[in-house]
Amino acid sequence: MISELKELFATWMAAVAAAIDAVGAKLVRRRQIVLIEGQGNGFTARVTSTGTGASLPELSFRLVQNRPEPAVPPEWAAALRGSQLDIVMRRDHVLVRPLDFPKQAADFLDGMIRTQIDRLTPWTASDAVFGTSPPAPLANERIGLMLAATSRQKIEPLVRLAGDLRVSSVAGLVDLHEAESEGTRIRLFEAQPSGAGRTVDVPRLLRLGLGLAAAGAAASLIVSTYVGGMLDAEQHELQQHIAQRRAALRINQTGGSAETLLAKLKQTTPSSVVVLEAVSRVLPDTTYVTELRVEGDKMQVVGMTQDAPSLIRLIEQSPHFTRATFFAPTTRGQSDPGERFHIEARMTPYFGDGS
């Protein structure tokens, strides 16, 4: 009960914090500035949203030893302080390539790309920053997207520059096409530079006040339910002991013996051999199994096939399995002959007749 109350309270706090953030964003409108990277470490800054200040002419400078030359004018320094800065990086500094995945992998795209980033790019997962365009449907139940990636060393001078300019937040973007357009940009990274200048963080102050008020109410609620939770746990444990004792008495009354218990265990425990035979009957000839695991009443199978979604239906039709589902994303490498699937299913408790 206490864990459920904590989860409910955390969910409620997250919803309230999101609402406070939205209200705070309206109360404190930050200036939005775009910084476009050009040739020879050159940059051009322009104001895209003035917030509460006045508009400014474009600013051009070069980055020399991590410092702007010429120096940023005072009016621009004041405008940049506490603003939201978008840096549009040069296309030749970013690796852009198309990717496609099975349609069923739409909910796992970020994790799948992150685990394969060292194969898709020249950098390891710890050295690369990347972003993707929204997925678009393709033929044969697949989806396509554009991957943009660059080295973390490339963005460090930009984040350092944003910190020196004392912006509130900085984001790195890249244009998919030569013409500048916000609709064709991929967001590579977002950061809040250390030492960034902030005036009054209204959302944080509101969340802090709400958190202090709610903490007192939550503490009294937890204390009031603590004793009840302990009693419920003890009652549940006692009921389990009673049920186990009654089951043991019933077995003894019906002439239960070691042989009876072994026979019952045999009839109610799935056999690994029977599971393997049932899987081999269900899967088509074009499917290859590389790994089969049986844990309790759960079976997990990993392998290669031409049509992974159809395996769910085939396994569900077998009387030996129920509740078949994917427990990991379905992937397809460039050198793989098919789709690599990861399926798990619940096994029916009786495997004794072998049918």
Side-chain angles (χ1 to χ4, degrees), residues 187-216:
R187 187 175 296 268
L188 289 172
F189 69 90
E190 292 183 2
Q192 290 185 338
S194 59
R198 290 188 175 91
T199 53
V200 179
D201 195 341
V202 174
R204 184 175 181 179
L205 291 178
L206 292 176
R207 284 199 301 269
L208 181 60
L210 178 62
L212 292 175

mmCIF file of all heavy atoms in Angstrom, residues 187-216:
data_model
loop_
_atom_site.group_PDB
_atom_site.id
_atom_site.type_symbol
_atom_site.label_atom_id
_atom_site.label_comp_id
_atom_site.label_asym_id
_atom_site.label_seq_id
_atom_site.Cartn_x
_atom_site.Cartn_y
_atom_site.Cartn_z
ATOM 1 N N ARG A 187 17.613 17.897 -34.277
ATOM 2 C CA ARG A 187 18.208 18.369 -33.029
ATOM 3 C C ARG A 187 19.211 17.320 -32.545
ATOM 4 O O ARG A 187 18.854 16.174 -32.260
ATOM 5 C CB ARG A 187 17.121 18.598 -31.983
ATOM 6 C CG ARG A 187 17.612 19.246 -30.697
ATOM 7 C CD ARG A 187 16.433 19.538 -29.783
ATOM 8 N NE ARG A 187 15.548 20.518 -30.395
ATOM 9 C CZ ARG A 187 15.634 21.826 -30.208
ATOM 10 N NH1 ARG A 187 16.563 22.312 -29.408
ATOM 11 N NH2 ARG A 187 14.783 22.645 -30.813
ATOM 12 N N LEU A 188 20.497 17.727 -32.461
ATOM 13 C CA LEU A 188 21.562 16.805 -32.075
ATOM 14 C C LEU A 188 21.740 16.729 -30.559
ATOM 15 O O LEU A 188 21.977 15.656 -30.013
ATOM 16 C CB LEU A 188 22.884 17.230 -32.714
ATOM 17 C CG LEU A 188 23.012 17.022 -34.223
ATOM 18 C CD1 LEU A 188 24.285 17.658 -34.722
ATOM 19 C CD2 LEU A 188 23.012 15.551 -34.551
ATOM 20 N N PHE A 189 21.663 17.850 -29.878
ATOM 21 C CA PHE A 189 21.881 17.840 -28.434
ATOM 22 C C PHE A 189 21.197 19.038 -27.807
ATOM 23 O O PHE A 189 20.874 20.024 -28.482
ATOM 24 C CB PHE A 189 23.380 17.854 -28.095
ATOM 25 C CG PHE A 189 24.067 19.160 -28.428
ATOM 26 C CD1 PHE A 189 24.149 20.189 -27.501
ATOM 27 C CD2 PHE A 189 24.631 19.358 -29.676
ATOM 28 C CE1 PHE A 189 24.771 21.381 -27.804
ATOM 29 C CE2 PHE A 189 25.260 20.551 -29.998
ATOM 30 C CZ PHE A 189 25.328 21.568 -29.056
ATOM 31 N N GLU A 190 20.970 18.960 -26.507
ATOM 32 C CA GLU A 190 20.476 20.060 -25.687
ATOM 33 C C GLU A 190 21.288 20.062 -24.397
ATOM 34 O O GLU A 190 21.636 19.007 -23.881
ATOM 35 C CB GLU A 190 18.990 19.903 -25.375
ATOM 36 C CG GLU A 190 18.081 20.051 -26.583
ATOM 37 C CD GLU A 190 16.617 19.966 -26.205
ATOM 38 O OE1 GLU A 190 16.346 19.827 -24.993
ATOM 39 O OE2 GLU A 190 15.763 20.041 -27.092
ATOM 40 N N ALA A 191 21.583 21.234 -23.902
ATOM 41 C CA ALA A 191 22.395 21.327 -22.684
ATOM 42 C C ALA A 191 22.071 22.628 -21.965
ATOM 43 O O ALA A 191 21.568 23.588 -22.557
ATOM 44 C CB ALA A 191 23.884 21.262 -23.012
ATOM 45 N N GLN A 192 22.352 22.638 -20.672
ATOM 46 C CA GLN A 192 22.287 23.841 -19.850
ATOM 47 C C GLN A 192 23.704 24.105 -19.360
ATOM 48 O O GLN A 192 24.179 23.430 -18.445
ATOM 49 C CB GLN A 192 21.329 23.662 -18.672
ATOM 50 C CG GLN A 192 19.877 23.593 -19.083
ATOM 51 C CD GLN A 192 18.945 23.526 -17.893
ATOM 52 O OE1 GLN A 192 19.354 23.132 -16.806
ATOM 53 N NE2 GLN A 192 17.706 23.911 -18.092
ATOM 54 N N PRO A 193 24.407 25.040 -19.987
ATOM 55 C CA PRO A 193 25.817 25.271 -19.646
ATOM 56 C C PRO A 193 25.984 25.634 -18.180
ATOM 57 O O PRO A 193 25.148 26.319 -17.586
ATOM 58 C CB PRO A 193 26.225 26.440 -20.560
ATOM 59 C CG PRO A 193 25.195 26.454 -21.644
ATOM 60 C CD PRO A 193 23.932 25.950 -21.038
ATOM 61 N N SER A 194 27.058 25.127 -17.597
ATOM 62 C CA SER A 194 27.347 25.487 -16.208
ATOM 63 C C SER A 194 27.668 26.970 -16.130
ATOM 64 O O SER A 194 28.332 27.529 -16.988
ATOM 65 C CB SER A 194 28.546 24.676 -15.694
ATOM 66 O OG SER A 194 29.691 24.914 -16.497
ATOM 67 N N GLY A 195 27.172 27.615 -15.089
ATOM 68 C CA GLY A 195 27.392 29.050 -14.923
ATOM 69 C C GLY A 195 26.464 29.899 -15.772
ATOM 70 O O GLY A 195 26.688 31.083 -15.934
ATOM 71 N N ALA A 196 25.431 29.253 -16.377
ATOM 72 C CA ALA A 196 24.520 30.023 -17.219
ATOM 73 C C ALA A 196 23.775 31.040 -16.376
ATOM 74 O O ALA A 196 23.363 30.773 -15.252
ATOM 75 C CB ALA A 196 23.527 29.089 -17.913
ATOM 76 N N GLY A 197 23.596 32.220 -16.936
ATOM 77 C CA GLY A 197 22.934 33.279 -16.182
ATOM 78 C C GLY A 197 21.440 33.123 -16.155
ATOM 79 O O GLY A 197 20.802 32.919 -17.166
ATOM 80 N N ARG A 198 20.854 33.171 -14.976
ATOM 81 C CA ARG A 198 19.410 33.091 -14.833
ATOM 82 C C ARG A 198 18.983 34.222 -13.910
ATOM 83 O O ARG A 198 19.692 34.582 -12.983
ATOM 84 C CB ARG A 198 18.977 31.749 -14.227
ATOM 85 C CG ARG A 198 19.183 30.577 -15.164
ATOM 86 C CD ARG A 198 18.535 29.320 -14.563
ATOM 87 N NE ARG A 198 18.621 28.210 -15.479
ATOM 88 C CZ ARG A 198 19.611 27.335 -15.500
ATOM 89 N NH1 ARG A 198 20.611 27.484 -14.664
ATOM 90 N NH2 ARG A 198 19.614 26.330 -16.351
ATOM 91 N N THR A 199 17.830 34.751 -14.155
ATOM 92 C CA THR A 199 17.294 35.783 -13.291
ATOM 93 C C THR A 199 16.491 35.132 -12.171
ATOM 94 O O THR A 199 16.998 34.861 -11.103
ATOM 95 C CB THR A 199 16.423 36.748 -14.118
ATOM 96 O OG1 THR A 199 15.452 35.977 -14.852
ATOM 97 C CG2 THR A 199 17.283 37.513 -15.107
ATOM 98 N N VAL A 200 15.243 34.841 -12.410
ATOM 99 C CA VAL A 200 14.397 34.181 -11.421
ATOM 100 C C VAL A 200 13.827 32.928 -12.052
ATOM 101 O O VAL A 200 13.131 33.002 -13.068
ATOM 102 C CB VAL A 200 13.252 35.115 -10.956
ATOM 103 C CG1 VAL A 200 12.363 34.388 -9.951
ATOM 104 C CG2 VAL A 200 13.832 36.381 -10.356
ATOM 105 N N ASP A 201 14.152 31.773 -11.490
ATOM 106 C CA ASP A 201 13.649 30.508 -11.996
ATOM 107 C C ASP A 201 12.278 30.258 -11.379
ATOM 108 O O ASP A 201 12.139 29.574 -10.364
ATOM 109 C CB ASP A 201 14.614 29.381 -11.652
ATOM 110 C CG ASP A 201 14.325 28.129 -12.449
ATOM 111 O OD1 ASP A 201 13.194 28.022 -12.973
ATOM 112 O OD2 ASP A 201 15.219 27.269 -12.545
ATOM 113 N N VAL A 202 11.250 30.827 -12.012
ATOM 114 C CA VAL A 202 9.904 30.740 -11.457
ATOM 115 C C VAL A 202 9.421 29.290 -11.355
ATOM 116 O O VAL A 202 8.881 28.886 -10.320
ATOM 117 C CB VAL A 202 8.930 31.601 -12.291
ATOM 118 C CG1 VAL A 202 7.496 31.408 -11.804
ATOM 119 C CG2 VAL A 202 9.328 33.070 -12.190
ATOM 120 N N PRO A 203 9.568 28.458 -12.402
ATOM 121 C CA PRO A 203 9.091 27.077 -12.261
ATOM 122 C C PRO A 203 9.744 26.338 -11.102
ATOM 123 O O PRO A 203 9.072 25.612 -10.367
ATOM 124 C CB PRO A 203 9.466 26.446 -13.609
ATOM 125 C CG PRO A 203 9.526 27.584 -14.557
ATOM 126 C CD PRO A 203 10.052 28.729 -13.748
ATOM 127 N N ARG A 204 11.045 26.541 -10.896
ATOM 128 C CA ARG A 204 11.710 25.825 -9.802
ATOM 129 C C ARG A 204 11.228 26.318 -8.444
ATOM 130 O O ARG A 204 11.031 25.528 -7.515
ATOM 131 C CB ARG A 204 13.218 26.009 -9.929
ATOM 132 C CG ARG A 204 13.995 25.221 -8.880
ATOM 133 C CD ARG A 204 15.469 25.315 -9.110
ATOM 134 N NE ARG A 204 16.202 24.546 -8.112
ATOM 135 C CZ ARG A 204 17.525 24.445 -8.087
ATOM 136 N NH1 ARG A 204 18.249 25.054 -9.007
ATOM 137 N NH2 ARG A 204 18.128 23.739 -7.159
ATOM 138 N N LEU A 205 11.051 27.639 -8.312
ATOM 139 C CA LEU A 205 10.564 28.171 -7.044
ATOM 140 C C LEU A 205 9.165 27.664 -6.733
ATOM 141 O O LEU A 205 8.853 27.305 -5.592
ATOM 142 C CB LEU A 205 10.574 29.703 -7.086
ATOM 143 C CG LEU A 205 11.960 30.372 -7.117
ATOM 144 C CD1 LEU A 205 11.808 31.874 -7.211
ATOM 145 C CD2 LEU A 205 12.762 29.996 -5.874
ATOM 146 N N LEU A 206 8.302 27.602 -7.758
ATOM 147 C CA LEU A 206 6.949 27.101 -7.535
ATOM 148 C C LEU A 206 6.960 25.625 -7.173
ATOM 149 O O LEU A 206 6.219 25.178 -6.292
ATOM 150 C CB LEU A 206 6.103 27.346 -8.792
ATOM 151 C CG LEU A 206 5.793 28.812 -9.116
ATOM 152 C CD1 LEU A 206 5.038 28.920 -10.425
ATOM 153 C CD2 LEU A 206 4.977 29.449 -7.993
ATOM 154 N N ARG A 207 7.807 24.845 -7.860
ATOM 155 C CA ARG A 207 7.891 23.421 -7.536
ATOM 156 C C ARG A 207 8.406 23.208 -6.121
ATOM 157 O O ARG A 207 7.961 22.318 -5.400
ATOM 158 C CB ARG A 207 8.801 22.708 -8.539
ATOM 159 C CG ARG A 207 8.162 22.473 -9.890
ATOM 160 C CD ARG A 207 8.905 21.385 -10.636
ATOM 161 N NE ARG A 207 10.311 21.724 -10.824
ATOM 162 C CZ ARG A 207 10.799 22.362 -11.866
ATOM 163 N NH1 ARG A 207 9.979 22.742 -12.839
ATOM 164 N NH2 ARG A 207 12.080 22.632 -11.976
ATOM 165 N N LEU A 208 9.394 24.034 -5.718
ATOM 166 C CA LEU A 208 9.939 23.904 -4.374
ATOM 167 C C LEU A 208 8.881 24.189 -3.318
ATOM 168 O O LEU A 208 8.736 23.458 -2.326
ATOM 169 C CB LEU A 208 11.129 24.848 -4.206
ATOM 170 C CG LEU A 208 11.833 24.822 -2.838
ATOM 171 C CD1 LEU A 208 12.373 23.426 -2.560
ATOM 172 C CD2 LEU A 208 12.938 25.858 -2.794
ATOM 173 N N GLY A 209 8.122 25.265 -3.523
ATOM 174 C CA GLY A 209 7.066 25.591 -2.563
ATOM 175 C C GLY A 209 6.004 24.510 -2.500
ATOM 176 O O GLY A 209 5.544 24.124 -1.414
ATOM 177 N N LEU A 210 5.605 24.004 -3.680
ATOM 178 C CA LEU A 210 4.608 22.934 -3.709
ATOM 179 C C LEU A 210 5.153 21.665 -3.067
ATOM 180 O O LEU A 210 4.448 20.960 -2.346
ATOM 181 C CB LEU A 210 4.195 22.662 -5.153
ATOM 182 C CG LEU A 210 3.180 21.533 -5.362
ATOM 183 C CD1 LEU A 210 1.875 21.856 -4.669
ATOM 184 C CD2 LEU A 210 2.940 21.302 -6.855
ATOM 185 N N GLY A 211 6.443 21.384 -3.312
ATOM 186 C CA GLY A 211 7.028 20.177 -2.738
ATOM 187 C C GLY A 211 7.069 20.224 -1.221
ATOM 188 O O GLY A 211 6.792 19.225 -0.544
ATOM 189 N N LEU A 212 7.415 21.404 -0.644
ATOM 190 C CA LEU A 212 7.452 21.525 0.811
ATOM 191 C C LEU A 212 6.071 21.367 1.417
ATOM 192 O O LEU A 212 5.906 20.716 2.467
ATOM 193 C CB LEU A 212 8.050 22.887 1.195
ATOM 194 C CG LEU A 212 9.540 23.082 0.869
ATOM 195 C CD1 LEU A 212 9.962 24.509 1.193
ATOM 196 C CD2 LEU A 212 10.383 22.072 1.643
ATOM 197 N N ALA A 213 5.065 21.941 0.750
ATOM 198 C CA ALA A 213 3.707 21.817 1.273
ATOM 199 C C ALA A 213 3.209 20.384 1.178
ATOM 200 O O ALA A 213 2.547 19.869 2.081
ATOM 201 C CB ALA A 213 2.770 22.758 0.509
ATOM 202 N N ALA A 214 3.529 19.731 0.052
ATOM 203 C CA ALA A 214 3.053 18.363 -0.135
ATOM 204 C C ALA A 214 3.811 17.372 0.727
ATOM 205 O O ALA A 214 3.280 16.323 1.092
ATOM 206 C CB ALA A 214 3.177 17.969 -1.606
ATOM 207 N N ALA A 215 5.092 17.693 1.057
ATOM 208 C CA ALA A 215 5.890 16.772 1.870
ATOM 209 C C ALA A 215 5.270 16.577 3.244
ATOM 210 O O ALA A 215 5.241 15.460 3.777
ATOM 211 C CB ALA A 215 7.316 17.291 1.994
ATOM 212 N N GLY A 216 4.767 17.670 3.848
ATOM 213 C CA GLY A 216 4.124 17.530 5.152
ATOM 214 C C GLY A 216 2.894 16.656 5.096
ATOM 215 O O GLY A 216 2.684 15.789 5.952
#
